[in-house]
Amino acid sequence: LAKTTQPPSMEAYEGQEVNVSCSHTNIATSEYIYWYRQVPHQGPQFIIQGYKDYVVNEVASLFISADRKLSTLSLPWVSLRDAAVYYCIVTDRVDRGSALGRLHFGAGTQLIVIP
Amino acid sequence: EAAVTQSPRNKVAVTGGKVTLSCNQTNNHNNMYWYRQDTGHGLRLIHYSYGAGSTEKGDIPDGYKASRPSQENFSLILELATPSQTSVYFCASGDPTGGAPEQYFGPGTRLTVL
């Protein structure tokens, strides 16, 4: 599974758009990119996933570079509720026995939202 | 909305004692997972299951056992608890064979071993 690298922390003011980057230079052709977030005292929550180009849902958008080595999670108009640790995870969607569905969490990016 | 519940939410145990953490999911997902999270770190996979009757070792299985008696229930068992197992434990369910490997997590169990 490809290793990911994220900034350890970021700060943003309420109402700003926030872009959280993730580097996955060794991503394999069968691997997808997932983003989760975790607020204090709760389990991680799935945000968005993608393979290439641009993906958007009601919560966030995800841009993936053409070579798939970099992805950027974009959160529009952040509020205090968006203060959380954001995890970028690369995992295989192909059935490879025990690898299927396993998520490897790194340290993530702590997003601090300033009122 | 996916629903994963864990019990107990908080547990204090003594060294050498047996601890059982329970997880229930109402999503009818085939896969279930147990993770632990230590302060300032991401989650680490302990055990997982592909369905009732199956358990598989994750990345850090030593000192833990798992049991999946039914589709809905997945337990994590610490036969001889040690202080190093003090942590927050999260259970999750998912259905990757359906093409959507996102996992749904429970609220966590905070375990303190004295």
Side-chain angles (χ1 to χ4, degrees):
Chain A
L1 295 173
K3 180 181 177 181
T4 61
T5 302
Q6 302 176 236
S9 66
M10 297 180 67
E11 288 186 352
Y13 286 96
E14 274 194 293
Q16 278 187 317
E17 179 185 49
V18 170
N19 295 309
V20 186
S21 64
C22 180
S23 171
H24 25 79
T25 55
N26 295 321
I27 189 169
T29 54
S30 61
E31 290 178 322
Y32 283 66
I33 301 151
Y34 296 85
W35 284 84
Y36 284 73
R37 71 178 171 189
Q38 184 179 22
V39 298
H41 310 298
Q42 292 186 24
Q45 181 182 32
F46 171 76
I47 303 172
I48 197 167
Q49 59 103 354
Y51 183 80
K52 64 178 181 178
D53 299 331
Y54 184 75
V55 182
V56 61
N57 64 18
E58 64 276 9
V59 176
S61 58
L62 176 62
F63 172 77
I64 302 167
S65 65
D67 61 6
R68 302 202 326 119
K69 294 183 178 181
L70 180 69
S71 62
T72 302
L73 175 74
S74 181
L75 305 170
W77 302 100
V78 294
S79 70
L80 294 176
R81 292 176 299 177
D82 294 314
V85 177
Y86 288 80
Y87 296 101
C88 167
I89 299 168
V90 171
T91 192
D92 211 326
R93 286 188 70 168
V94 175
D95 185 354
R96 301 204 174 189
S98 63
L100 182 63
R102 293 182 60 169
L103 300 176
H104 292 263
F105 286 82
T109 297
Q110 174 76 61
L111 174 62
I112 300 166
V113 180
I114 304 167
Chain B
E1 180 72 21
V4 179
T5 56
Q6 296 181 229
S7 63
R9 293 295 311 280
N10 291 281
K11 173 74 176 179
V12 178
V14 295
T15 297
K18 182 177 180 179
V19 177
T20 300
L21 306 183
S22 300
C23 178
N24 177 275
Q25 56 109 352
T26 59
N27 312 316
N28 198 33
H29 286 160
N30 289 325
N31 288 22
M32 295 186 74
Y33 310 81
W34 275 108
Y35 296 86
R36 65 177 282 178
Q37 184 174 36
D38 300 299
T39 303
H41 295 278
L43 283 72
R44 292 182 290 170
L45 182 64
I46 306 171
H47 283 287
Y48 59 104
S49 168
Y50 288 118
S54 92
T55 60
E56 306 288 338
K57 293 181 179 180
D59 298 321
I60 52 165
D62 293 345
Y64 302 94
K65 292 183 180 179
S67 174
R68 182 86 182 270
S70 65
Q71 179 82 338
E72 298 80 18
N73 296 295
F74 191 37
S75 297
L76 186 67
I77 303 155
L78 291 67
E79 295 279 2
L80 295 171
T82 67
S84 64
Q85 294 175 313
T86 294
S87 188
V88 181
Y89 292 85
F90 289 98
C91 175
S93 74
D95 195 7
T97 56
E102 60 262 33
Q103 295 178 16
Y104 297 88
F105 286 81
T109 294
R110 182 172 297 276
L111 174 65
T112 302
V113 183
L114 302 175

